[in-house]
Amino acid sequence: MSEIEHPKPGIDWETRAYWEGAKRHELILQRCSSCAAIQHRPRALCVSCFADTIEYFRASGRGSVYSYTITHQNQSPGFRNATPYVLAWVELEEGVRLLSNIVGCSPDKVRIGMPIEVDFADIDGEVAIPRFRPR
Amino acid sequence: MSISPKTVIAGAYEHPTRWAPDKTPWQIMAESARGALNDCGLELSDVDGLFTAGIEIGSMAVMQLAEYLNLKPRYLDGTNLGGSSFVAHVAHASAAIHAGLCSVALITYGSTAASNAMAIGTGGGSGQDAASGMISPYGLTTVGGYALCAQRHMEMYGTRSEDLAEIAVTTRRHAGLNPAAKMRTPITIDDVLSSRIISTPLHLLDCCITSDGGGALIITSAERAHDLKQKPVSVLGSGEAIWHPQIGNADLLELAAAQSGEQAFRQSGITPSEIDFCTIYDSFTITVLMTLENLGFCKAGEGASFVRDGRIGLGGELPINPDGGGLSSNHPGMRGVFLVIEAVRQLRGDCKGRQVDDARLGLVHGTGGLLSAFHSGATLILGNET
């Protein structure tokens, strides 16, 4: 078993601020200055009130495991040698959920509700992937 | 009120193949179309509405299919909601017929998913997603998407692997009664629990099989169906929905079925207790359990006790997937068309050896996409009284 070799994400202008933040090891979310809604994934406009008034802010990076699965079979590149690995829905303190991996502990120690914090994996100095570890 | 008591499923055909390295998807679609037309006594030249969707056949599949069949339909629908597409197509075809936009609709599907070694359930890949960059770094597999729901369900409601296994065991028993089913050897709860883990908490035998295959349906007006060969099956209600928990606070345990089912029941004026049997997309055992809850057959969290004690088996209160489903009969990539075909056969009383007693009302529910990432649901309520 080896570490996941995260495939590099496709990045477009709507997600660039998120990935530039990740490269600085900051987890970036969007907030609408008109209606105060927080949203993820990044979009060009607010899908709560449909305004263009999107702002970016640095999230706490703290949250808990909403659900998880220990993946034992995945033949795709980057993952086939990394099983078993933990795929999880993470609930951030800011209220949004995102899909990620739980690292830094044995997969069988992961539990729903477990407190976690963001942890970045640098790839080739180009991009960093937000994952989460127990806190 | 039903969407239209005037539209019926007049013809249905399931292609017998489960392994077809010598066929193309187009050929399987065409052979299935021929089967469904023969079933009801119509000709290819009668078809003026054409519906299809697929994974390996391209984004303009419905145009290519028309070209393959040398058809010039006046109504075309290539709606692709994943595996539930063909369930939605039945509702779309009914609406189109009701509106006078076509008179004989052909819905057909064909796939060589197994012989092309396409990754569906347990295979790799990053799954389908609307924001691939947000998901692709993390190794989401198809089974992983459903496993995330299963784990949450177990945490919230105490659902056990044994409860999910009950669904696999019952479905395999049904497959044993269907000569066309691919996997017919009986299995036990222990067999499921001791099969290898694919993505916790789901085992190999919690997952659908892969096969080649195809099928077709003919939808027309009750008036047109009157002098055709088969007893028509009425479309009494329908609904469709898309669910996406990536944004907002959508719960992983709430499915599109809650919305599509509510509409189908409301349109038909029928309640869950009146339904005689269901065909429910069984990509994984958890899909069936959560769909039953979301359709209102039991409350959220009660799915585990609902599927116990033979309730969902033939002879039980609500038989599910009498043909053996995707868990045991066939699963060529997208399975929605077979859910409708089996419901039609049951409502005609044609299912020797696996016939639901006195089957008059059936519910069909298809799920497409990935349960925990984004997914579609399409529901039909069908009846055999016109």
Side-chain angles (χ1 to χ4, degrees):
Chain A
M1 175 188 156
S2 56
E3 287 271 297
I4 294 170
E5 295 167 34
H6 298 283
K8 285 179 198 166
I11 300 174
D12 60 19
W13 79 267
E14 289 191 290
T15 58
R16 186 163 296 130
Y18 177 83
W19 291 111
E20 284 175 353
K23 195 174 170 185
R24 300 190 302 269
H25 289 199
E26 295 178 2
L27 189 63
I28 301 295
L29 296 177
Q30 289 185 328
R31 182 191 287 117
C32 173
S33 61
S34 299
C35 75
I38 294 173
Q39 70 182 16
H40 181 77
R41 60 192 167 90
R43 289 157 164 86
L45 40 73
C46 171
V47 292
S48 296
C49 74
F50 238 28
D52 287 325
T53 49
I54 287 292
E55 295 174 347
Y56 296 90
F57 70 101
R58 183 178 180 177
S60 68
R62 288 187 301 272
S64 60
V65 174
Y66 180 77
S67 194
Y68 70 96
T69 179
I70 306 170
T71 307
H72 287 261
Q73 181 173 322
N74 184 348
Q75 295 303 321
S76 53
F79 298 97
R80 66 169 70 104
N81 298 320
T83 57
Y85 64 88
V86 180
L87 176 78
W89 273 107
V90 169
E91 186 162 74
L92 297 177
E93 285 180 350
E94 289 79 5
V96 302
R97 293 186 192 133
L98 45 85
L99 199 75
S100 192
N101 298 122
I102 307 296
V103 298
C105 70
S106 169
D108 58 13
K109 299 293 184 214
V110 176
R111 294 288 179 272
I112 288 174
M114 189 169 89
I116 47 179
E117 62 189 358
V118 72
D119 177 82
F120 291 89
D122 294 304
I123 304 177
D124 302 341
E126 288 174 29
V127 64
I129 307 294
R131 300 116 37 111
F132 289 80
R133 63 171 62 248
R135 64 177 156 93
Chain B
M1 268 302 288
S2 63
I3 34 173
S4 170
K6 299 183 188 117
T7 59
V8 299
I9 303 172
Y13 181 79
E14 177 181 319
H15 201 291
T17 191
R18 298 293 187 270
W19 179 250
D22 55 337
K23 291 183 190 292
T24 68
W26 307 104
Q27 180 184 0
I28 295 173
M29 283 188 260
E31 290 173 1
S32 298
R34 187 171 59 197
L37 289 163
N38 285 342
D39 180 55
C40 63
L42 286 168
E43 305 288 333
L44 186 58
S45 56
D46 293 317
V47 172
D48 61 358
L50 188 63
F51 297 69
T52 195
I55 301 171
E56 74 263 52
I57 54 173
S59 58
M60 288 191 278
V62 73
M63 291 170 65
Q64 278 184 267
L65 178 64
E67 188 273 340
Y68 186 100
L69 296 173
N70 192 29
L71 275 179
K72 289 179 179 163
R74 60 191 178 107
Y75 194 81
L76 293 136
D77 185 334
T79 303
N80 194 332
L81 306 177
S84 64
S85 301
F86 314 94
V87 181
H89 289 170
V90 173
H92 297 186
S94 293
I97 290 163
H98 195 55
L101 300 175
C102 63
S103 60
V104 174
L106 164 64
I107 300 167
T108 184
Y109 177 64
S111 169
T112 53
S115 54
N116 275 336
M118 194 167 83
I120 302 167
T122 63
S126 295
Q128 301 135 291
D129 55 85
S132 58
M134 295 289 135
I135 291 180
S136 59
Y138 301 116
L140 172 66
T141 62
T142 305
V143 58
Y146 290 75
L148 287 161
C149 290
Q151 192 70 54
R152 181 83 189 163
H153 202 277
M154 289 180 167
E155 175 79 10
M156 296 300 287
Y157 301 124
T159 301
R160 305 166 309 157
S161 289
E162 289 84 343
D163 302 318
L164 298 181
E166 187 78 38
I167 295 166
V169 169
T170 301
T171 311
R172 181 62 64 85
R173 180 162 62 78
H174 293 168
L177 304 169
N178 177 8
K182 183 172 175 181
M183 306 290 277
R184 305 184 62 209
T185 309
I187 53 172
T188 65
I189 301 273
D190 282 345
D191 290 335
V192 180
L193 301 186
S194 61
S195 64
R196 73 177 195 277
I197 287 277
I198 305 296
S199 195
T200 62
L202 299 180
H203 304 76
L204 179 67
L205 292 177
D206 285 302
C207 303
C208 61
I209 60 171
T210 60
S211 73
D212 296 336
L217 299 160
I218 303 294
I219 318 295
T220 190
S221 62
E223 189 185 10
R224 182 78 181 266
H226 188 68
D227 55 357
L228 296 180
K229 279 158 68 178
Q230 297 284 359
K231 185 170 161 43
V233 166
S234 299
V235 182
L236 303 174
S238 70
E240 60 194 64
I242 300 289
W243 233 242
H244 35 75
Q246 280 119 321
I247 196 155
N249 295 309
D251 195 295
L252 276 190
L253 302 181
E254 195 179 292
L255 305 187
Q259 179 184 316
S260 64
E262 196 276 333
Q263 179 176 308
F265 279 119
R266 185 160 37 80
Q267 268 184 354
S268 62
I270 286 160
T271 60
S273 63
E274 293 175 85
I275 297 291
D276 297 310
F277 70 96
C278 295
T279 56
I280 291 178
Y281 206 122
D282 57 348
S283 45
F284 303 93
T285 51
I286 186 65
T287 322
V288 176
L289 187 135
M290 288 177 58
T291 301
L292 285 167
E293 292 178 355
N294 278 272
L295 289 171
F297 286 102
C298 58
K299 292 189 179 130
E302 292 179 358
S305 54
F306 188 87
V307 301
R308 282 185 210 135
D309 304 323
R311 185 183 271 118
I312 62 167
L314 281 162
E317 191 183 308
L318 187 71
I320 291 170
N321 297 339
D323 64 338
L327 288 167
S328 290
S329 178
N330 59 346
H331 193 291
M334 293 161 75
R335 192 167 190 276
V337 73
F338 304 108
L339 302 172
V340 184
I341 292 169
E342 176 65 3
V344 167
R345 291 186 296 222
Q346 289 287 345
L347 289 166
R348 287 177 181 172
D350 279 352
C351 296
K352 248 179 251 162
R354 63 172 200 279
Q355 179 63 45
V356 175
D357 293 336
D358 198 21
R360 288 180 297 170
L361 290 169
L363 180 143
V364 177
H365 182 82
T367 300
L370 268 183
L371 216 53
S372 68
F374 72 93
H375 73 272
S376 66
T379 310
L380 291 173
I381 294 175
L382 305 176
N384 60 10
E385 286 170 17
T386 45

